[in-house]
Amino acid sequence: MKLENEIKKRRTFGIISHPDAGKTTLTEKLLLFGGAIQQAGTVKRSKPGKTATSDFMEIEKQRGISVATSVMGFEYKGKKINILDTPGHKDFAEDTYRTLTAVDSVILVVDCVKGVEEQTEKLMAVCRLRHIPVIIFVNKMDREGKDPFDLLDELEKKLNISTRPLTWPIGIGHTFKGVYHLQAKGLKLYEPVKKGVSENLIAVQDLDDKMLERTLGNNAAQQLRDDVSLLEGLYEPFDLSLYRSGYLAPVFYGSAINNFGIRELLDTFIDIAPPPLERSANERTIKPDEPQFTGFIFKIHANLDPKHRDRIAFCRICSGQFQRNTFYYHTRLQKKLKFASPTSFMADSKSVVDESWPGDVVGLYDAGNFKIGDTLTEGEDLQFLGIPRFSPEIFRLLENTDPMKSKQLDKGINQLIDEGVAQLFFQELGNRKIVGTVGELQFEVIKFRLLHEYGASCAFRSVEYTKASWISSSDPVKLQNFLQQQSRRIAFDKDGNPVFLSSSAWDITYALEKHPDIRLHDNSEWQRQR
Ligand code: G4P
């Protein structure tokens, strides 16, 4: 019974956005409204986007800081909410993709002026792949943004998801007067307050009420009536099951910096967002209410101090109860490990926890036992699925520049790959190691860390590849033929799966034309796509 209650209480989600849309501000305001922090400014900004590429130490520092803010738990109206932070900088997009494997739902922040941006599209593609329920928060309504109907259209088209506004803005920018709550049928008037929290919802029984003119003015009142009648014609009532299965995104409007629109978002969120969901392993599906503990590692944070090579591995609990100082089975290494100081993270503090429940994330101090994707159980041999890898965007050949230190280089690069800093592809032809990342920055980070933490030095040489595609075929003989004939373009990922390295879209088209029995996939999780 206790397990069931703890599961029902929990809501574990991630906030995602294109940088600068207001993710950090919204996170902070959710914590503020949830009473987890007393004042704004507690959540550290992960804003290396504004620094020069070469300023990667700053980014590493930020990464260090963000350990504390990687997971933020708080209680709100009887629910335990876990927010999983995702890095805003595009060079750390892989980190975000992995974090999305550990959440049950997502809040997507969109800037009403800029609309759907590049990162928004990429992140939503991952959400769709995993059928993650998404709520959209249209932010910065105090700015002169896009027409709300046009923006809904853009969201649907570019993000490939149906939308359903649950609040509706009255004006925008300098004419922004507040929002109308389409379900509660109430007005929330906008007052730009950075500290206080505006709470008054004015109930509106009838939109023809003249009170609307008195409160909003003639034009805004009429516009609201017209908009609402259009919306009622356009949209079906909100369908929870479509949202829960990832096909319909409810939309809210507000201004995070001005504390506006947050309460409606949070209250609806705890009502509709799913509690911890079941998760698939290679062997079977694991339900959260199974009594035996299971969990998986989705993120690893290195210690910035090179003298202490310990790391924090973040474990998402999938079923049962996790207890401190209890032996658990590390299924890849087939060995038992126990954790003396599992850590939970609150808004601005962390503490050792004695027990945790499905949906929670615990930080486990680790001296090198964990790789991303590792599974912990009470003894059952399981391997959770679903840590997708996407094609890197930049590829470089790794060269050892100090032959005396090749062991250190091997160890270092493998550990950094385990942490998920980059992807490594091994090419049999020429015995080459190719490192793939989503940003230039990672190469500098890798070089720096290899030198400072492992005493190894390396150089990166340009290669012509721009994309890695995972290969499959229903015919093993044809697959072998393809691997042989294309050997110049074939490499193996860290799990030994073959990938096709291409330099242009034409390479892929040409290869597929010549080998019609071969399929090329954009990510390592293609087997699971529905
Ligand atoms: P991010 O994490 O998604 O990258 O965005 P972040 O919250 O850091 O917000 C990006 C910028 O947008 C910040 O301004 C922030 O103050 C501003 N912002 C957030 N919400 C709103 C809003 O509702 N309205 C308006 N007008 N601005 C908003 P900055 O100048 O980059 O940083 P700061 O100096 O304010 O910290």
Side-chain angles (χ1 to χ4, degrees):
M1 202 54 202
K2 175 143 170 84
L3 176 60
E4 264 171 43
N5 287 338
E6 295 292 344
I7 294 169
K8 267 197 222 139
K9 259 181 83 170
R10 278 165 172 75
R11 301 286 181 274
T12 300
F13 76 106
I15 301 193
I16 56 174
S17 76
H18 188 90
D20 267 357
K23 181 176 73 67
T24 314
T25 312
L26 180 64
T27 306
E28 187 165 83
K29 297 307 167 84
L30 289 173
L31 295 173
L32 200 63
F33 274 70
I37 54 172
Q38 304 319 317
Q39 61 185 40
T42 312
V43 179
K44 299 288 182 294
R45 267 163 214 275
S46 47
K47 292 213 87 175
K50 290 192 174 162
T51 60
T53 306
S54 59
D55 206 1
F56 68 89
M57 271 316 287
E58 189 50 33
I59 290 185
E60 283 294 275
K61 254 196 263 157
Q62 300 274 8
R63 269 164 62 88
I65 290 164
S66 70
V67 172
T69 55
S70 281
V71 185
M72 289 159 284
F74 65 97
E75 302 257 343
Y76 181 73
K77 296 194 174 170
K79 298 279 187 291
K80 163 89 191 292
I81 298 180
N82 294 313
I83 305 182
L84 271 57
D85 188 31
T86 57
H89 196 289
K90 96 167 196 3
D91 286 11
F92 292 111
E94 282 276 328
D95 245 23
T96 303
Y97 301 152
R98 283 191 294 264
T99 299
L100 290 178
T101 62
V103 303
D104 299 301
S105 69
V106 148
I107 293 180
L108 167 70
V109 189
V110 174
D111 179 333
C112 74
V113 182
K114 296 191 177 142
V116 174
E117 297 174 84
E118 190 194 342
Q119 251 341 72
T120 332
E121 282 189 66
K122 285 193 180 164
L123 293 166
M124 266 302 290
V126 180
C127 292
R128 275 202 317 274
L129 186 72
R130 309 183 56 78
H131 297 264
I132 301 175
V134 176
I135 296 179
I136 299 176
F137 182 76
V138 177
N139 191 29
K140 306 197 186 181
M141 291 302 292
D142 57 313
R143 293 233 181 121
E144 307 301 321
K146 301 190 177 194
D147 171 82
F149 283 104
D150 291 347
L151 185 56
L152 281 180
D153 215 35
E154 181 178 330
L155 289 168
E156 295 215 346
K157 287 208 177 99
K158 291 199 177 157
L159 302 181
N160 197 9
I161 191 166
S162 302
T163 57
R164 173 56 164 106
L166 293 187
T167 62
W168 189 251
I170 304 163
I172 193 162
H174 74 282
T175 63
F176 185 53
K177 292 203 157 51
V179 292
Y180 177 67
H181 204 303
L182 292 157
Q183 282 189 318
K185 304 211 182 308
L187 280 185
K188 188 84 171 265
L189 296 180
Y190 171 62
E191 320 157 37
V193 277
K194 297 215 160 64
K195 290 210 176 82
V197 169
S198 132
E199 298 287 10
N200 291 335
L201 189 73
I202 306 168
V204 181
Q205 295 311 331
D206 179 358
L207 275 180
D208 287 330
D209 194 329
K210 287 289 166 223
M211 175 274 281
L212 235 53
E213 267 74 11
R214 288 195 299 278
T215 322
L216 302 174
N218 290 350
N219 291 347
Q222 194 48 46
Q223 182 74 46
L224 177 64
R225 285 186 194 111
D226 294 348
D227 285 357
V228 171
S229 96
L230 191 58
L231 290 166
E232 278 167 358
L234 281 175
Y235 291 98
E236 300 284 326
F238 173 65
D239 183 330
L240 183 68
S241 65
L242 282 180
Y243 156 69
R244 289 264 179 106
S245 49
Y247 292 104
L248 178 74
V251 183
F252 289 84
Y253 298 82
S255 170
I257 195 96
N258 291 302
N259 291 355
F260 190 79
I262 318 286
R263 177 74 71 199
E264 297 74 45
L265 175 69
L266 195 53
D267 284 349
T268 309
F269 169 80
I270 58 166
D271 249 13
I272 66 171
L277 300 172
E278 60 183 35
R279 286 189 141 65
S280 305
N282 265 328
E283 298 73 11
R284 62 186 186 87
T285 299
I286 289 88
K287 296 207 160 51
D289 59 357
E290 292 182 16
Q292 303 235 319
F293 158 76
T294 62
F296 69 92
I297 306 297
F298 65 94
K299 179 177 176 120
I300 295 177
H301 245 294
N303 194 327
L304 285 178
D305 181 350
K307 287 189 218 95
H308 301 279
R309 202 143 332 123
D310 61 337
R311 315 184 283 185
I312 298 179
F314 289 85
C315 176
R316 148 93 196 205
I317 294 165
C318 299
S319 68
Q321 181 191 15
F322 172 91
Q323 285 177 307
R324 183 158 87 99
N325 274 330
T326 303
F327 276 102
Y328 291 118
Y329 180 58
H330 185 310
T331 62
R332 181 177 55 84
L333 298 181
Q334 301 190 323
K335 77 176 185 187
K336 292 202 159 175
L337 299 172
K338 76 174 173 181
F339 306 96
S341 12
T343 303
S344 83
F345 300 88
M346 294 301 277
D348 49 359
S349 61
K350 55 183 183 174
S351 56
V352 171
V353 281
D354 290 321
E355 55 174 37
S356 288
W357 304 93
D360 286 341
V361 170
V362 284
L364 306 174
Y365 288 92
D366 168 45
N369 282 313
F370 287 120
K371 278 188 190 190
I372 283 176
D374 279 347
T375 300
L376 287 174
T377 69
E378 289 193 22
E380 188 178 352
D381 269 309
L382 287 179
Q383 172 61 53
F384 279 103
L385 292 173
I387 306 267
R389 269 166 289 127
F390 293 84
S391 174
E393 288 167 22
I394 308 172
F395 295 80
R396 299 261 195 281
L397 183 65
L398 175 72
E399 281 183 344
N400 184 1
T401 49
D402 183 352
M404 303 296 287
K405 297 279 171 64
S406 46
K407 264 199 184 145
Q408 285 87 332
L409 181 67
D410 273 355
K411 181 171 178 202
I413 193 75
N414 284 327
Q415 289 209 350
L416 296 187
I417 298 300
D418 289 351
E419 270 177 38
V421 175
Q423 291 187 54
L424 185 67
F425 300 98
F426 180 70
Q427 243 182 346
E428 282 172 349
L429 196 73
N431 211 358
R432 307 198 308 169
K433 281 190 173 131
I434 293 171
V435 175
T437 68
V438 286
E440 289 286 347
L441 210 53
Q442 260 89 352
F443 293 105
E444 288 188 54
V445 171
I446 294 169
K447 242 191 205 174
F448 180 89
R449 289 192 53 191
L450 283 174
L451 187 64
H452 287 83
E453 294 172 33
Y454 300 89
S457 44
C458 71
F460 288 106
R461 197 150 56 79
S462 297
V463 282
E464 74 273 24
Y465 309 124
T466 51
K467 185 170 179 180
S469 312
W470 279 262
I471 308 167
S472 73
S473 172
S474 52
D475 183 335
V477 176
K478 293 202 165 125
L479 178 62
Q480 272 316 312
N481 282 347
F482 180 73
L483 298 183
Q484 270 161 15
Q485 285 180 23
Q486 296 286 331
S487 59
R488 204 171 58 79
R489 296 198 169 280
I490 300 298
F492 293 86
D493 72 5
K494 72 178 174 64
D495 301 320
N497 301 312
V499 296
F500 179 74
L501 298 173
S502 51
S503 321
S504 66
W506 187 84
D507 283 345
I508 295 181
T509 317
Y510 185 71
L512 291 177
E513 265 172 23
K514 292 207 91 175
H515 300 270
D517 294 297
I518 295 296
R519 291 187 62 203
L520 297 177
H521 311 273
D522 283 343
N523 68 75
S524 63
E525 283 285 307
W526 52 270
Q527 299 97 325
R528 293 189 66 228
Q529 283 170 40
R530 283 192 254 164

